[in-house]
Amino acid sequence: MSQQNIILGYWAFPLRGQPIRYIFELAQYPYQQTNYTFEGAKDWFEKDKKELGLDFPNLPYLIQGDFKITESQNIVNFALDVTKQHHLLGAGLIRFKIDNIRFLCDELIAKTFLASTKSGEDKKAEISSSVVPKFKSLQTAIGNKKYLFENKLTLADVYAYTAINALKHLLSDEYKQFAQTFDPFMKNFEEIPLIKAYHNSNRYPKFG
Ligand SMILES: N[C@@H](CCC(=O)N[C@@H](CS)C(=O)NCC(=O)O)C(=O)O
């Protein structure tokens, strides 16, 4: 692999592409960002989507010289490789339990965002059918644990935090019923020194 700079392209929000940012940050691995705003969405749709030379144009994307990939889970795998953080995947059968939460939360992040864009009965239906039941399962899995598996940080925590943070900011009324479980879980993640420094930096594209 060439030593050219890594460029990560995604929306300027901590949604589906956010776990990739956490992986680079947890390793203090240098990466550049192209963060697209919703107001400036045409920079993506009308320009970069057509001009960057991506085989399968989408957000997130990762470019390193001539190496260009999309699909968020593919980029997560690349980021784990390049930062040598395979331990975040776990070992043995736990790997599959971790991935269970990883893929559930990936979908949940998208569903939470989708529900937040709706209104009235549509919004209520989306929340009660697709969002709340999955957060209830996540709440049971978290219980009063600091980390989901083996008392240490894994990709499951990174994804769970990203999904819960999306719920808290995009559907704040729905968050309330989970706060007793999710508040301490979020606080624990936010107190990891590298995460704390990142969240306080201008590299973190926070909500609002
Ligand atoms: N399967 C794809 C889905 C990507 C996707 O849906 N991207 C959304 C944001 S999360 C988007 O806005 N894509 C830009 C586009 O469709 O051009 C992945 O996991 O990366």
Side-chain angles (χ1 to χ4, degrees):
M1 186 65 64
S2 73
Q3 288 308 301
Q4 284 168 292
N5 290 341
I6 283 178
I7 301 165
L8 177 64
Y10 190 58
W11 296 111
F13 291 99
L15 291 166
R16 199 173 224 160
Q18 183 60 29
I20 306 163
R21 295 181 178 126
Y22 284 130
I23 292 167
F24 286 131
E25 293 288 339
L26 284 166
Q28 295 183 281
Y29 196 91
Y31 68 106
Q32 294 175 7
Q33 303 189 69
T34 300
N35 288 341
Y36 302 91
T37 62
F38 289 158
E39 306 80 63
K42 61 175 174 14
D43 289 347
W44 164 247
F45 286 110
E46 289 172 27
K47 191 170 174 289
D48 287 359
K49 188 167 184 173
K50 298 172 185 160
E51 295 174 9
L52 287 176
L54 298 163
D55 293 332
F56 305 100
N58 216 332
L59 294 175
Y61 64 75
L62 182 140
I63 297 180
Q64 188 176 35
D66 292 336
F67 178 73
K68 302 176 185 187
I69 54 171
T70 52
E71 289 301 315
S72 53
Q73 296 297 348
N74 184 35
I75 302 172
V76 162
N77 288 342
F78 174 85
L80 290 171
D81 259 22
V82 88
T83 63
K84 301 186 170 51
Q85 292 186 103
H86 303 100
H87 59 277
L88 293 176
L89 289 168
L93 285 180
I94 293 288
R95 270 193 78 150
F96 301 96
K97 302 291 267 182
I98 290 171
D99 268 355
N100 213 149
I101 295 203
R102 165 187 180 178
F103 293 112
L104 170 108
C105 288
D106 178 64
E107 193 185 314
L108 197 45
I109 294 162
K111 292 208 154 137
T112 301
F113 175 73
L114 182 70
S116 77
T117 63
K118 301 199 167 187
S119 57
E121 289 306 311
D122 274 2
K123 184 172 187 162
K124 273 192 204 155
E126 190 77 26
I127 288 172
S128 63
S129 69
S130 309
V131 175
V132 165
K134 290 201 165 95
F135 276 110
K136 283 198 172 143
S137 308
L138 191 59
Q139 181 179 36
T140 304
I142 292 174
N144 57 9
K145 297 201 273 287
K146 285 173 93 170
Y147 297 109
L148 275 152
F149 295 101
E150 300 184 324
N151 211 20
K152 59 184 186 219
L153 182 74
T154 68
L155 202 52
D157 303 299
V158 172
Y159 266 92
Y161 178 86
T162 304
I164 293 168
N165 193 37
L167 180 72
K168 185 173 179 174
H169 288 90
L170 300 177
L171 300 172
S172 49
D173 283 347
E174 299 305 324
Y175 178 84
K176 287 178 195 152
Q177 64 190 290
F178 300 105
Q180 210 183 338
T181 306
F182 290 169
D183 277 355
F185 179 79
M186 291 188 84
K187 188 161 179 283
N188 183 55
F189 185 82
E190 286 159 359
E191 281 175 355
I192 296 169
L194 285 167
I195 298 294
K196 192 172 197 166
Y198 168 54
H199 281 175
N200 287 327
S201 77
N202 59 11
R203 298 186 305 282
Y204 177 51
K206 47 176 91 66
F207 287 112

